[in-house]
Amino acid sequence: MLLHEFRPGRLLVGLTALTLVAVYAGDLAGAWTAPWYGVVPVLCAGLGTAGFAGWLSYEIRRRRSARSLSADSSDAPASSSGSQAIK
């Protein structure tokens, strides 16, 4: 059972941050040399991809909920015998 919705945009932001941490931790340990300006393209690509993935998952969830709402309300017509005024 899922406790919350899957958010791929947040996952990609986290993976981007962990990638940058790993690159600069390796630089700090002396395993390799990472340029200081290397963060800009990696961060922009990661955030752009995360934004697109978040938008795409939002659209999928929105269409899925709209489809389920339209399927639920198509069988029962509006009541004309209630206290609502019909104009």
Side-chain angles (χ1 to χ4, degrees), residues 58-81:
Y58 168 76
E59 288 294 321
I60 290 170
R61 279 194 318 269
R62 187 178 68 124
R63 289 177 191 231
R64 187 178 300 152
S65 67
R67 189 178 314 139
S68 69
L69 287 177
S70 67
D72 290 342
S73 63
S74 63
D75 295 336
S79 174
S80 61
S81 61

Side-chain angles (χ1 to χ4, degrees), residues 16-17 19-20 23-24 34-49:
T16 301
T19 300
L20 291 174
V23 166
Y24 285 109
W36 63 268
Y37 53 84
V39 71
V40 175
V42 173
L43 188 62
C44 288
L47 292 178
T49 305

Side-chain angles (χ1 to χ4, degrees), residues 5-14 16 45-63:
E5 295 177 340
F6 176 65
R7 303 281 181 141
R10 291 183 183 188
L11 175 68
L12 289 172
V13 167
T16 301
L47 292 178
T49 305
F52 179 73
W55 171 79
L56 187 64
S57 68
Y58 168 76
E59 288 294 321
I60 290 170
R61 279 194 318 269
R62 187 178 68 124
R63 289 177 191 231

